[in-house]
Amino acid sequence: MPSNTTIVSAPGKVLLAGGYLVLDPAFSGLVVATDARFYTLVRPANHSNETISSSKITVRSPQFENATWSYLVDIKDKDVQLTPSTQDESKNTFVELALAYSLAMLGHLIPVESIAKTLDTGLEIVIAGNNDFYSQRKELESRGLPLNTGSLRQIPLFASTHTTLSKVHKTGLGSSAALITSLVSAIFIHFKAADLTKQDQAITAFLHNAAQFVHCLAQGKVGSGFDVSSAVWGSHTYKRFSPELLQEIMHNEARNQIPTLLKVLDPKQTAWDNKVASFQLAPQLHLMLADIDAGSHTPTLVSNVLKWRKNKPEEANELWRQLGKANDTVVELLKKLDQTSKSSLVEYDLAIRKASALPAAEWDSLLNQTIKDKDATTELLINIYNEFQTVRRYLREMSQLSEVPVEPEEQTRLLDACLTIPGVLMAGVPGAGGFDAIFCIVLSDESRKGVEDVWSNFKEMSVGPLLCTESIEGGLVVELYQDAEPSSDRNNFTVVKRLVDL
């Protein structure tokens, strides 16, 4: 492996429960991190490339056309300024803001001599996301392959999207949040201003806060932040931070007020009120995701739902209260299921096997078979299924009252069809809903195959499976640091080698 190379990755996300409500600090959401990850590689510039010179940073995104961006870095005292090249074919606001603010903050955190030394020959940065972040329909068509998981596995890692960044069809896994989180973190780690190996929560919290700020600034608003939170901490229940924390520094002049910015972002100086409680799916429960080729504009959906809530507060707030309660119940039941798997492993495995053989609507019949020996696992599975059906009912009610297609009728029919397959525990629309995507939680490989058959045979919409599932690695991961070998506790050698060769 080349020396002085840093690679940091952050996961994509799925908001299983808490769409819309997660915007309100009074409610929580359940966000699950995916094993589809976004990677940032930082290394000294290659001297053989004449376009890279001292104090110059070049960023490449090889999956896209016209996706190379160059910047000059000037250092004066503690002031580290980034200037974009005027010759680039395109502009990337997310990358530019991430670099500009990360470097500006570094000027006040570490000696500028250290920054100048690291930039001595320039830097090359490569950013790349797992194929699941982007629709692979065109790639499959070009290869003459059908739209299924077997075909997707034939596409090489970090495949070209055959289009520009502005035109690519995203699958809703939170690519911009994962990009910003991995890029900001990689810069701080490469410049030795942060060390995740120390497992210092304050360091992780600072990286989270910095990524939240940059992401909000790039989007032009203070969002709920669950996507960046998941990119940092993995799967968890989430309550948002107060928007007021960032609103006063949400302007480009913040670049000239770095001490003030650092005071807000440093968890030791400013107490952030976001709440993160770690979560994991119980053993043998697996997440399935599909991209729907119909598409919804999430900001429009959110804007219209919030407009309805503002115009009819009593109607909306009562529904939100009921939906929030149902969401919380689902989360608590899922946590109890995980606890049961640890305390009664044999009984748990048997119950999962039995439930895998029947559609969820028929699981009640399993209790009759075990009436002498109460089956806690089966009862929990039934309760999770029923309670999530209640969540869906409230989402459909929201669709009707707000006239916003949160769970559109076509999606309802698709989700109901998935639930007829034996061993499907949950099926729903993630996040803000609409026509973008669906998820299922399944209990077995046979269940997974059955769901894939439903998707491939569904006629009303084109349903494209994704390969990713829930992450077992959590949030931020340092894949490679400087001269160290790739971590031996995970199978990342292929990914690292592919990134290095891009």
Side-chain angles (χ1 to χ4, degrees):
M1 291 293 167
S3 61
N4 297 323
T5 297
T6 301
I7 299 176
V8 176
S9 72
K13 54 72 193 171
V14 186
L15 188 67
L16 296 190
Y20 299 100
L21 277 66
V22 78
L23 291 162
D24 188 331
F27 298 97
S28 62
L30 173 60
V31 58
V32 172
T34 70
D35 60 2
R37 303 182 74 85
F38 213 101
Y39 300 82
T40 294
L41 175 150
V42 185
R43 62 188 167 196
N46 185 347
H47 287 294
S48 65
N49 188 338
E50 295 178 1
T51 65
I52 298 175
S53 60
S54 179
S55 296
K56 186 171 184 178
I57 296 177
T58 299
V59 181
R60 292 190 297 111
S61 186
Q63 291 165 288
F64 298 100
E65 298 170 357
N66 303 330
T68 298
W69 306 282
S70 300
Y71 308 91
L72 287 176
V73 182
D74 295 304
I75 305 173
K76 186 177 181 181
D77 297 327
K78 290 186 175 182
D79 187 20
V80 183
Q81 292 281 352
L82 184 88
T83 306
S85 170
T86 56
Q87 299 179 357
D88 291 344
E89 292 185 54
S90 65
K91 183 180 174 70
N92 190 320
T93 301
F94 287 81
V95 166
E96 184 179 329
L97 289 174
L99 288 177
Y101 279 95
S102 296
L103 291 168
M105 286 187 277
L106 284 175
H108 291 260
L109 293 173
I110 61 175
V112 291
E113 295 81 8
S114 173
I115 298 173
K117 184 178 179 182
T118 303
L119 288 170
D120 185 36
T121 60
L123 284 182
E124 181 186 24
I125 298 175
V126 179
I127 53 178
N130 183 282
N131 292 344
D132 272 344
F133 281 104
Y134 312 111
S135 173
Q136 300 298 322
R137 294 168 192 269
K138 288 184 179 178
E139 178 68 18
L140 292 176
E141 287 173 11
S142 70
R143 292 169 174 258
L145 295 172
L147 184 61
N148 58 41
T149 54
S151 300
L152 290 171
R153 290 190 180 92
Q154 297 182 45
I155 301 176
L157 190 61
F158 308 128
S160 170
T161 60
H162 306 290
T163 188
T164 60
L165 183 57
S166 62
K167 294 180 180 178
V168 73
H169 176 81
K170 298 181 180 181
T171 58
L173 292 181
S175 57
S176 64
L179 157 66
I180 292 256
T181 303
S182 69
L183 177 54
V184 167
S185 301
I187 292 295
F188 278 94
I189 291 167
H190 189 77
F191 281 83
K192 298 181 171 66
D195 184 356
L196 290 183
T197 62
K198 292 182 178 179
Q199 296 185 328
D200 184 337
Q201 281 301 310
I203 294 174
T204 308
F206 172 77
L207 293 176
H208 164 267
N209 298 351
Q212 288 284 15
F213 166 71
V214 171
H215 193 240
C216 290
L217 195 62
Q219 291 193 316
K221 64 178 177 21
V222 182
S224 69
F226 78 86
D227 43 8
V228 169
S229 187
S230 179
V232 173
W233 282 300
S235 301
H236 59 272
T237 55
Y238 174 76
K239 277 195 176 183
R240 70 159 304 151
F241 56 88
S242 299
E244 294 77 21
L245 279 167
L246 292 180
Q247 278 169 348
E248 290 186 10
I249 53 170
M250 276 281 293
H251 52 79
N252 285 322
E253 288 306 308
R255 205 176 303 190
N256 301 319
Q257 301 168 5
I258 296 302
T260 302
L261 176 62
L262 281 170
K263 184 177 179 181
V264 173
L265 301 183
D266 184 355
K268 294 178 180 177
Q269 298 187 66
T270 300
W272 283 50
D273 53 354
N274 53 310
K275 291 183 173 59
V276 172
S278 183
F279 173 87
Q280 66 178 22
L281 287 172
Q284 301 180 60
L285 269 62
H286 295 294
L287 175 68
M288 295 181 68
L289 293 165
D291 165 45
I292 310 297
D293 196 24
S296 299
H297 188 239
T298 298
T300 302
L301 293 176
V302 173
S303 174
N304 289 339
V305 167
L306 295 181
K307 190 183 300 180
W308 159 68
R309 192 185 186 199
K310 182 180 179 181
N311 293 338
K312 297 185 177 180
E314 288 187 12
E315 176 182 85
N317 288 338
E318 176 57 21
L319 179 57
W320 280 39
R321 185 191 64 77
Q322 293 173 323
L323 179 54
K325 184 180 178 182
N327 284 335
D328 290 345
T329 301
V330 170
V331 172
E332 287 309 308
L333 289 168
L334 285 168
K335 287 181 177 179
K336 284 183 181 177
L337 186 67
D338 186 44
Q339 293 164 5
T340 301
S341 74
K342 294 177 173 66
S343 61
S344 307
L345 181 58
V346 175
E347 294 84 353
Y348 177 85
D349 285 345
L350 179 60
I352 292 291
R353 278 204 304 275
K354 287 182 176 180
S356 298
L358 289 173
E362 299 176 24
W363 286 345
D364 280 335
S365 64
L366 296 174
L367 287 179
N368 298 331
Q369 301 171 17
T370 56
I371 201 159
K372 291 180 181 177
D373 181 19
K374 196 173 181 182
D375 187 347
T377 298
T378 302
E379 281 197 351
L380 283 168
L381 291 173
I382 291 169
N383 290 338
I384 292 167
Y385 164 72
N386 287 331
E387 198 63 31
F388 197 74
Q389 290 293 81
T390 300
V391 168
R392 287 184 57 203
R393 190 174 73 248
Y394 286 138
L395 289 176
R396 290 195 294 274
E397 188 176 341
M398 186 190 293
S399 297
Q400 293 168 352
L401 294 174
S402 65
E403 298 182 351
V404 176
V406 180
E407 187 184 297
E409 291 180 3
E410 296 93 329
Q411 294 280 56
T412 296
R413 290 189 284 272
L414 173 57
L415 296 172
D416 289 347
C418 293
L419 287 168
T420 65
I421 301 300
V424 179
L425 175 63
M426 295 162 58
V429 287
F435 291 96
D436 274 348
I438 64 164
F439 73 88
C440 293
I441 304 289
V442 299
L443 306 183
S444 70
D445 284 340
E446 286 304 310
S447 306
R448 181 189 297 274
K449 291 172 186 173
V451 168
E452 286 183 12
D453 286 343
V454 169
W455 291 353
S456 63
N457 292 314
F458 196 72
K459 303 301 181 187
E460 294 184 57
M461 299 176 294
S462 176
V463 185
L466 303 184
L467 292 178
C468 64
T469 186
E470 70 282 355
S471 171
I472 59 171
E473 296 170 310
L476 275 173
V477 171
V478 180
E479 307 281 351
L480 185 68
Y481 179 63
Q482 306 289 329
D483 297 323
E485 286 297 313
S487 58
S488 58
D489 61 342
R490 57 186 301 268
N491 186 23
N492 74 336
F493 186 85
T494 302
V495 174
V496 168
K497 189 174 187 311
R498 173 75 173 135
L499 279 167
V500 168
D501 293 343
L502 280 175

